[in-house]
């Protein structure tokens, strides 16, 4: 398999996941703003920072407003991480490796792109945002389902899956950071009804509200929620689950080619850290600091995987 194909599939699925994740960040911002009587613009400033696009936004706008922030995250072409930009980039990568995709996988991404291009040619009214976010999640889920249900389990499949879980781990850590570091109004609100509503909103934003209730009986404690989204290996958007899958797919590549790369070691050490971690120790040392360190480690794994592309060739 050519390194170019590996690169194309890796980034195709990173961008698909990024589109959904950006929609989830918008959802988190919307839910958080509903709990505030004032200071809603500060919420969106924080969401932009967590998405890593704050500086880019300020190059286009003089101040942060909810309407402009949502538009920037959803459909602004000058933002490479907007939903529309990410789906277009995913489709371009898919077109580049078209012969490596099944018909069902290609048609699902192409149809998603055409739908977004048509539907989001204009600003989306606030009243339509919940439906828009749900549609984006459904469309990206359809792409993953078509790929998962029709593709041969080979190195193509493994690189695509690694891209998915690298991006998902990044997003879960950023959504947690939105709540804990920047969206809570003040220390005095910790443990209050407002605090609990915000934590519940975070769970809903990552589609974990019901599954959390099965594990913790709807007891919305910050430490339990952080544990669920960081260390619980059964939760499909947790950091531990993502790294279990990254290591599994890297393991398939190692067995197929008989070679380990630095990415194998870094991913394995990250998984070991998550498996041995204790949430109280993480909370005591600083959840924001932990998440910031994890994001850096996750970026390192992604960079090392990029270095390995050239090895996987015919």
């Amino acid at each position: 398999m050519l390194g170019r194909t590996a690169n194309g599939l890796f980034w195709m699925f990173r961008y698909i996941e990024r589109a959904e994740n950006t929609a989830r960040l918008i959802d988190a911002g919307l839910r958080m703003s509903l709990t505030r009587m004032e200071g809603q613009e500060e919420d969106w400033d924080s969401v932009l920072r967590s998405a890593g696009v704050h500086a880019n936004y300020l190059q286009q706008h003089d101040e942060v407003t909810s309407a402009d922030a949502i538009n920037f995250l959803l459909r602004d072409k000058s933002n490479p991480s907007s939903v529309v930009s990410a789906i277009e980039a995913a489709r371009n990568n898919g077109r580049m490796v078209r012969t490596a995709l099944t018909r069902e996988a290609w048609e699902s991404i192409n149809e998603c792109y055409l739908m977004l291009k048509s539907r989001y040619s204009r600003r989306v009214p606030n009243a339509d945002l919940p439906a828009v976010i749900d549609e984006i999640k459904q469309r990206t889920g359809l792409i993953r389902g078509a790929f998962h249900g029709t593709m041969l389990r080979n190195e193509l499949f493994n690189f695509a899956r690694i891209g998915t879980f690298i991006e998902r781990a990044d997003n879960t850590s950023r959504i947690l950071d939105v709540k804990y570091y920047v969206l809570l109004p003040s220390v005095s609100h910790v443990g209050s009804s407002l605090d609990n509503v915000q934590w519940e909103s975070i769970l809903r934003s990552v589609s974990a509200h019901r599954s959390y209730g099965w594990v913790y009986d709807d007891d919305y404690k910050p430490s339990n929620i952080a544990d669920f989204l960081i260390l619980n290996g059964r939760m499909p958007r947790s950091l531990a689950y993502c790294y279990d899958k990254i290591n599994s797919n890297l393991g398939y590549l190692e067995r197929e080619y008989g070679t380990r790369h630095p990415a194998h070691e870094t991913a394995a050490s990250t998984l070991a850290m998550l498996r041995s971690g204790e949430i109280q120790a993480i909370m005591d040392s600083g959840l924001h600091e932990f998440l910031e360190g994890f994001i850096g480690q996750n970026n390192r794994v992604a960079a090392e995987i990029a270095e390995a592309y050239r090895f996987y060739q015919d």
Side-chain angles (χ1 to χ4, degrees), residues 23-24 26-28 30 74 120 128-138:
R24 289 178 181 277
I26 296 171
D27 188 31
L30 286 171
L74 182 62
Y120 304 147
D128 295 342
L129 282 171
V132 164
I133 291 169
D134 285 344
E135 183 174 44
I136 292 166
K137 290 189 287 187
Q138 290 167 3

Side-chain angles (χ1 to χ4, degrees), residues 207-219 228 232 234:
S207 299
H209 181 256
R210 180 166 295 182
S211 58
Y212 176 86
W214 292 336
V215 177
Y216 293 103
D217 297 323
D218 297 322
D219 186 8
F228 193 56
N232 193 308
R234 296 176 297 170

Side-chain angles (χ1 to χ4, degrees), residues 206-260:
V206 294
S207 299
H209 181 256
R210 180 166 295 182
S211 58
Y212 176 86
W214 292 336
V215 177
Y216 293 103
D217 297 323
D218 297 322
D219 186 8
Y220 297 116
K221 291 182 179 179
S223 59
N224 287 347
I225 293 172
D227 179 70
F228 193 56
L229 298 183
I230 294 173
L231 303 179
N232 193 308
R234 296 176 297 170
M235 197 276 152
R237 289 190 172 271
S238 75
L239 306 188
Y241 183 92
C242 289
Y243 264 83
D244 181 64
K245 295 304 178 184
I246 290 169
N247 276 271
S248 176
N249 288 111
L250 284 171
Y252 291 140
L253 291 171
E254 179 185 1
R255 288 191 289 275
E256 179 73 18
Y257 288 91
T259 302
R260 285 179 70 85

